[in-house]
Amino acid sequence: MVKINGEEWNIAGKTVAEYLATTSYNSKRIAVERNGDIVPKSQYGEIVLEDGDSVEVVSFVGGG
Amino acid sequence: MIPTKEEWNKALCQRHGEDVQKKFSAATVAVCGLGGLGSHIAISLARAGIGKLILIDFDRVDITNLHRQQYKVNQIGMDKTDALSENLREIAPYIDIERHTVRMTEDNAVELLKDADIICEAFDDAESKAMLTNLVLETMPKTFLVAASGMAGFGSANSIRTRKITSKFYLCGDEQSDVKTEGSLVSSRVMLCAAHQAHTVLRILTEQFETE
């Protein structure tokens, strides 16, 4: 299982990009953290999520 | 009469203690965007005696900014970098200020931010926020980033919070209230978020890190 924003998902084996494609996140407004480190945007298609990973997708909203 | 630099430093040391004040005086903090968040962040940090601020914004003061940003009527039309520098110097006469009146992009950001110990993301546009966050975390591994998301509207003051996302990345706001759906930003709630950001900077400098 992969923990994403606090919830367990059965998506081990998928890349970050494959996971994001199943969501409604706007790819231009997010930053993805995995096990304490930022996932570079250029590596979304390469990094494979593993059992036990902890992921956080930060999705920015406007205003400042 | 304006106090001397020595009197100024002595007053800060009396309030913060010499050890803490040394850390504040030695710090360089960049403020990216000088609107509701950035103008308030800069004023808090100047009051705390931060040694150097790097102020970055391409925009000018507009009448529609005055309801929530730290500018004055007689500053309408000025570059925000100049207007805010003027206001900061009235508060903290010896602060070192570096001004950049440019739009930050992926191409110029690293050069603009290279001297910063801590970067405050204070843009209003969600895509700019994400761009800066990814860029800093990917390419500047020693630099702290304090970003903001979600402070629009009249939601509860108590929903504005600070979260540690990685060891170098802190996020302030309620992470929900988008100006597009809330329709407006009010000074009190923007100030709350800006205060979270400025306070996080001071906590990082005094090595008091959030646990989550």
Side-chain angles (χ1 to χ4, degrees), chain A residues 19-39:
Chain A
Y19 163 68
L20 290 172
T22 69
T23 70
S24 58
Y25 290 118
N26 178 335
S27 65
K28 288 185 176 171
R29 295 184 177 186
I30 59 170
V32 180
E33 171 269 342
R34 172 175 169 257
N35 302 333
D37 291 312
I38 197 79
V39 179

Side-chain angles (χ1 to χ4, degrees), chain B residues 15-212:
Chain B
R15 287 290 173 252
H16 296 149
E18 214 162 297
D19 290 348
V20 166
Q21 192 51 46
K22 263 188 194 162
K23 290 174 182 165
F24 289 179
S25 299
T28 297
V29 181
V31 183
C32 304
L34 305 177
L37 293 171
S39 61
H40 283 105
I41 292 168
I43 283 179
S44 281
L45 296 178
R47 285 195 193 282
I50 295 297
K52 180 174 174 179
L53 294 179
I54 301 172
L55 305 179
I56 305 160
D57 199 306
F58 65 90
D59 210 359
R60 290 186 177 173
V61 178
D62 185 83
I63 189 171
T64 60
N65 300 147
L66 296 185
H67 74 293
R68 73 176 195 284
Q69 305 184 15
Q70 284 287 2
Y71 300 104
K72 302 169 193 173
V73 171
N74 64 0
Q75 293 179 320
I76 290 172
M78 284 178 75
D79 286 341
K80 287 186 177 179
T81 46
D82 292 338
L84 189 58
S85 298
E86 203 174 85
N87 297 344
L88 292 171
R89 290 216 186 280
E90 288 176 3
I91 292 166
Y94 302 106
I95 191 167
D96 188 3
I97 299 173
E98 184 180 310
R99 286 172 285 176
H100 297 281
T101 308
V102 293
R103 188 184 287 273
M104 186 180 275
T105 66
E106 276 180 306
D107 297 324
N108 65 12
V110 173
E111 177 63 24
L112 292 169
L113 298 170
K114 64 181 191 311
D115 294 331
D117 303 306
I118 304 175
I119 296 166
C120 293
E121 178 283 305
F123 293 138
D124 56 3
D125 173 64
E127 289 183 17
S128 301
K129 289 170 176 289
M131 180 277 287
L132 182 62
T133 298
N134 284 296
L135 190 80
V136 170
L137 296 171
E138 287 181 31
T139 62
M140 307 176 81
K142 290 182 181 166
T143 311
F144 286 90
L145 177 75
V146 183
S149 182
M151 77 301 294
F154 291 87
S156 170
N158 295 333
S159 59
I160 304 286
R161 58 184 178 162
T162 299
R163 284 203 306 137
K164 182 182 184 177
I165 309 292
T166 75
S167 61
K168 299 288 185 186
F169 174 27
Y170 292 78
L171 183 63
C172 305
D174 68 11
E175 300 179 43
Q176 301 285 334
S177 311
D178 192 328
V179 70
K180 282 208 177 107
T181 49
E182 300 291 330
S184 65
L185 289 152
V186 288
S187 65
S188 44
R189 203 155 189 265
V190 176
M191 282 169 75
L192 285 160
C193 190
H196 268 261
Q197 289 183 272
H199 194 64
T200 298
V201 169
L202 301 186
R203 280 173 59 80
I204 290 168
L205 291 173
T206 52
E207 294 171 31
Q208 301 178 82
F209 302 110
E210 309 298 325
T211 51
E212 58 182 31

Side-chain angles (χ1 to χ4, degrees), chain A residues 47-62:
Chain A
I47 288 185
V48 177
L49 298 169
E50 293 174 15
D51 260 330
D53 275 359
S54 181
V55 174
E56 170 124 18
V57 182
V58 172
S59 181
F60 285 95
V61 297

